[in-house]
Amino acid sequence: KRVEESRAKMEGVEITGSGEAAPPAAAPVPAPAPTPVAAAVPAAVAPVVPSQNYTTIDKYAFDAGGYNSPTVSIYIALPNVGSIPRENVTCEFSPSSFDLIVRDLGGKSYRLVNDNLENDIVPEKSKILVKADKIVIKLGKKKTEYGGHDHWSQLTAKKDKKKKAADAANPAAGIMDLMKEMYDSGDDNMKRMIGETMQKQREGKLGADGGMGGDLGGMGDMGL
């Protein structure tokens, strides 16, 4: 028996009191791995998207200033405009235009743009002033060759300056426009003469016979 016990100890087997080998002890069950818990994620906050559409500013007051005044002024009433961040109010100036944009004022954005000013301006001397309930645009006047400043009577030119420049590059088109204006404002005899002349001009017959004959046919392209 002592020999068996010695052998059992060497083999790692426990011998019971009856001399029989005890069954091997059950292997320990590993503890379950901890279940990972996802970190709490804060609820997503929708980004604030600035409004993309602009409400056109169509009401303002214009002050041409005096003869020696270096600027003309535009006054725009916008309640509470002074309460929004200053960077929300911008105005870009060019020698022939300005573009005022007011972003996110009471849930709306506003815009006033003019690219047909009565006179050219000096961008470096133009600026905006933001008050509590209004915006003031100051447009720098250009100086004349005599030392004074350009005369302004209104903000917007009566005629499209771009078209005027195009007419200067194409004198024939300018003459046609002038004759159309004379036609629109003339009496029946004036309209007949202008109509006949312009018809001959289109047909390449103007001055060929020294006469003014012809009819008003073909004047539809001028809207007459």
Side-chain angles (χ1 to χ4, degrees):
K1 182 176 179 180
R2 291 180 179 175
V3 174
E4 292 177 354
E5 289 178 353
S6 298
R7 185 188 305 168
K9 289 181 179 180
M10 293 177 63
E11 295 177 354
V13 179
E14 183 180 355
I15 304 299
T16 64
S18 61
E20 296 179 355
V29 179
T35 303
V37 179
V41 179
V45 178
V48 177
V49 179
S51 53
Q52 300 297 320
N53 297 323
Y54 297 108
T55 298
T56 300
I57 299 173
D58 55 7
K59 293 182 179 180
Y60 54 83
F62 174 71
D63 179 12
Y67 174 75
N68 290 324
S69 173
T71 62
V72 297
S73 302
I74 306 157
Y75 299 89
I76 304 159
L78 282 176
N80 299 319
V81 69
S83 66
I84 64 175
R86 179 60 181 80
E87 59 266 23
N88 283 22
V89 183
T90 61
C91 192
E92 295 184 0
F93 300 98
S94 78
S96 60
S97 69
F98 69 86
D99 186 358
L100 171 72
I101 293 179
V102 180
R103 294 180 174 86
D104 301 312
L105 171 60
K108 292 184 178 180
S109 293
Y110 299 84
R111 188 177 191 183
L112 174 61
V113 58
N114 191 319
D115 59 357
N116 190 39
L117 299 172
E118 183 178 41
N119 293 302
D120 284 348
I121 62 174
V122 183
E124 296 77 14
K125 296 184 178 180
S126 302
K127 62 182 180 179
I128 57 173
L129 304 174
V130 181
K131 306 293 186 179
D133 296 304
K134 67 181 178 181
I135 295 175
V136 183
I137 303 176
K138 297 282 189 179
L139 303 178
K141 293 181 180 179
K142 290 187 67 175
K143 284 191 174 183
T144 67
E145 57 183 327
Y146 303 107
H149 293 89
D150 284 340
H151 171 72
W152 291 65
S153 59
Q154 57 195 8
L155 179 62
T156 304
K158 293 181 179 180
K159 293 184 179 181
D160 189 333
K161 291 197 295 185
K162 293 180 180 178
K163 187 175 185 303
K164 186 176 180 181
D167 288 345
N170 183 4
I175 293 173
M176 294 287 283
D177 287 341
L178 176 61
M179 294 185 71
K180 184 180 185 304
E181 290 180 11
M182 294 173 62
Y183 180 92
D184 291 339
S185 60
D187 56 21
D188 290 343
N189 185 52
M190 176 66 72
K191 290 181 178 180
R192 180 184 64 81
M193 293 178 62
I194 293 176
E196 292 174 351
T197 300
M198 296 186 73
Q199 178 68 16
K200 285 180 173 290
Q201 190 273 339
R202 279 193 295 270
E203 295 176 352
K205 299 178 180 179
L206 188 61
D209 54 11
M212 295 290 289
D215 53 33
L216 293 179
M219 298 295 286
D221 58 336
M222 288 187 61
L224 305 180

